[in-house]
Amino acid sequence: MLDFLNYTFTSLSLSLAILVGLIILFQLLHYIMVYGRIIFNKNKKNDFEPDEEKVQGVSVVVVVNNNSKALQNELLKLLEQNHPLFEVVVVNENSTDDTEYVLTVLKHTYKNIKVINLGQNANRFSDRKFSVAIGIRSAQYDTVVLSDIIADVKDFDWLRSITQPMSNSRNKILIGYVALEQKKGLLNQFAQYYHATWSMNSLGYALFGYPFSSDGRNMAYSKEFFFQKGGLIAQYRDNCRQEDYFLSHFANKNNTVVNLNPKSFVSYPAYSNYRAFKRRAYAQYLSHRAFPFSTKLKLALLPISTLILYLTIAFMIFIGFPWQYLLLPILAKCVTQIIYYNKCMKRINSKIISLFAPIYEIYFIFFNFNLRVKKLFIRQKRHKIRWDRK
């Protein structure tokens, strides 16, 4: 039973054991230093300014395309926000349903709505970025919040909450959190894990001082800063998401703030099928091209180290290395991973079964590999993806 204690280490087995130990140590440090930033981020109280004369105006930009049904529900939540000075800029992308009619009716009811009807795009830009840039340019106020008509705003204090850190003139970019709607089923668990991991990395690194990505359905820019940096002109014909490009080039620890106040959260509808989930994941993966090499390296280290870890362990067992020696370090990794996922999910009001995080991690090794293979066989310029549409 204790025969493994008599095992004689060779130079090969010792080298592999050291490699496994270093990889696990790196991953534990990643959980602590990156994910720990989310867990221990203080939930600062929103001190809403009582003097309306001192409140900064806010413009909310929303892009719609054949969303007449969603407009009747979600747009009203934006228009009824508990904020003394704001407008909602709606960019209608050549909708063919009743969107324009619904917007016309709402304009007669609400004075704080501005509608921009875009016709057929003469430049044939197939991405959301052009419409977003038009909305930001048309905004009346310097603080511009990007939202989405199908992003569910839970609180009528959302606008006050999400923009409160922007009252500091130093902050030019604000990163908010977008949750994924909770549903039952295996697909939802996969999607929740993928979304949670991406959010933990992007938010954690931003809190660490290295912002590189955000969800464009809940973030804010200073309009002046946005156009000082050239807006989105350089990437109209690029597949990357506008927030990934802009943040990776212009965001830093001195001009970017993360808002993790629960009142600032919004949620996005769950994926209806696996194809929709994979399409969104692939569009997100294409955005990685916008990142500098240092950011790509940071994002690749964890999944690549996980792949090397399990391949090394499989090879060690194949050559007769006692599995008992591997049990304790693997257990330490998995337990730490489960604890940090669980605490992060509580911090951002998400619900995934954290106990299964190590299993999901193995599945997504193959999932991400499939995305990389797919990219090799698809020409970028001919494969435009509207990431904001399901």
Side-chain angles (χ1 to χ4, degrees):
M1 182 177 180
L2 300 176
D3 290 343
F4 69 93
L5 296 175
N6 298 321
Y7 177 77
T8 302
F9 283 84
T10 64
S11 58
L12 175 61
S13 61
L14 182 60
S15 299
L16 293 174
I18 292 174
L19 176 61
V20 168
L22 290 175
I23 291 175
I24 291 178
L25 177 61
F26 161 75
Q27 296 199 344
L28 294 180
L29 289 174
H30 184 277
Y31 299 148
I32 295 169
M33 297 176 68
V34 178
Y35 299 165
R37 297 276 171 168
I38 300 173
I39 297 170
F40 299 109
N41 178 261
K42 293 182 179 179
N43 182 19
K44 295 182 179 180
K45 182 180 179 181
N46 272 318
D47 298 320
F48 297 145
E49 178 60 60
D51 187 352
E52 294 190 7
E53 293 182 359
K54 296 182 180 179
V55 175
Q56 295 183 353
V58 179
S59 296
V60 182
V61 174
V62 180
V63 178
V64 298
N65 180 275
N66 294 330
N67 297 116
S68 59
K69 292 183 179 179
L71 281 171
Q72 299 173 47
N73 298 313
E74 298 302 327
L75 188 58
L76 291 177
K77 294 181 183 179
L78 296 179
L79 292 168
E80 296 284 355
Q81 284 293 301
N82 181 26
H83 194 287
L85 188 61
F86 77 101
E87 64 171 354
V88 178
V89 181
V90 183
V91 182
N92 177 21
E93 291 185 315
N94 195 32
S95 296
T96 56
D97 63 354
D98 294 332
T99 294
E100 188 171 349
Y101 171 75
V102 173
L103 290 173
T104 301
V105 173
L106 289 173
K107 282 178 65 176
H108 286 88
T109 307
Y110 295 91
K111 303 301 181 182
N112 59 336
I113 183 173
K114 180 186 294 183
V115 178
I116 301 170
N117 291 305
L118 295 182
Q120 185 65 40
N121 194 327
N123 295 306
R124 299 187 181 276
F125 297 134
S126 60
D127 206 291
R128 181 175 182 261
K129 292 186 279 286
F130 178 74
S131 302
V132 169
I134 292 294
I136 295 176
R137 186 171 292 279
S138 304
Q140 178 181 352
Y141 304 110
D142 184 64
T143 298
V144 179
V145 179
L146 302 187
S147 186
D148 194 301
I149 197 60
I150 58 175
D152 188 15
V153 174
K154 302 291 185 182
D155 199 296
F156 285 101
D157 281 329
W158 164 77
L159 190 56
R160 281 179 175 263
S161 178
I162 193 67
T163 57
Q164 196 256 351
M166 294 293 282
S167 60
N168 184 342
S169 59
R170 166 186 164 183
N171 299 326
K172 304 301 183 182
I173 302 173
L174 182 142
I175 298 174
Y177 174 66
V178 178
L180 188 62
E181 180 189 5
Q182 305 288 328
K183 278 193 174 182
K184 296 180 179 180
L186 186 60
L187 170 61
N188 179 68
Q189 283 297 312
F190 282 148
Q192 289 288 345
Y193 172 83
Y194 187 88
H195 181 78
T197 302
W198 176 82
S199 298
M200 288 160 61
N201 280 308
S202 59
L203 294 174
Y205 273 116
L207 290 167
F208 200 61
Y210 300 100
F212 64 88
S213 182
S214 176
D215 195 310
R217 295 164 292 198
N218 194 27
M219 65 179 301
Y221 293 114
S222 160
K223 177 180 177 180
E224 181 182 8
F225 176 80
F226 181 81
F227 286 109
Q228 276 181 355
K229 300 302 180 181
L232 306 174
I233 294 175
Q235 48 166 325
Y236 281 157
R237 297 189 182 278
D238 202 328
N239 242 334
C240 68
R241 304 183 308 167
Q242 79 272 358
E243 60 274 12
D244 289 345
Y245 182 95
F246 199 88
L247 265 66
S248 63
H249 284 74
F250 307 118
N252 56 57
K253 63 181 179 181
N254 296 319
N255 62 19
T256 304
V257 63
V258 178
N259 191 343
L260 289 182
N261 189 299
K263 284 190 174 183
S264 71
F265 297 170
V266 301
S267 66
Y268 196 67
Y271 296 99
S272 57
N273 53 61
Y274 185 79
R275 182 181 180 184
F277 162 61
K278 190 172 181 179
R279 182 175 180 271
R280 164 72 181 187
Y282 180 62
Q284 187 170 301
Y285 171 71
L286 288 178
S287 289
H288 290 190
R289 292 179 295 98
F291 299 152
F293 176 76
S294 59
T295 299
K296 292 179 181 178
L297 183 61
K298 290 187 189 81
L299 292 178
L301 281 176
L302 192 63
I304 289 177
S305 65
T306 302
L307 176 61
I308 295 173
L309 173 66
Y310 288 116
L311 289 177
T312 304
I313 289 173
F315 179 71
M316 292 173 72
I317 294 175
F318 176 76
I319 64 175
F321 189 90
W323 60 267
Q324 292 90 339
Y325 284 122
L326 299 170
L327 188 60
L328 185 59
I330 291 298
L331 188 62
K333 167 196 155 46
C334 292
V335 169
T336 305
Q337 183 181 15
I338 290 169
I339 290 173
Y340 272 81
Y341 264 81
N342 183 56
K343 288 184 176 294
C344 282
M345 293 307 98
K346 289 181 179 179
R347 182 67 183 80
I348 57 179
N349 294 343
S350 185
K351 295 179 181 179
I352 70 165
I353 304 177
S354 303
L355 188 63
F356 296 152
I359 299 175
Y360 296 148
E361 180 183 55
I362 296 174
Y363 169 78
F364 278 101
I365 290 175
F366 300 97
F367 180 87
N368 291 324
F369 177 77
N370 178 263
L371 294 184
R372 285 165 171 78
V373 172
K374 180 180 179 181
K375 182 175 177 248
L376 295 176
F377 296 97
I378 295 180
R379 294 184 62 181
Q380 174 189 336
K381 292 184 178 180
R382 293 187 179 180
H383 193 69
K384 292 290 183 181
I385 291 181
R386 280 301 299 258
W387 64 267
D388 56 313
R389 296 181 190 167
K390 287 194 170 187

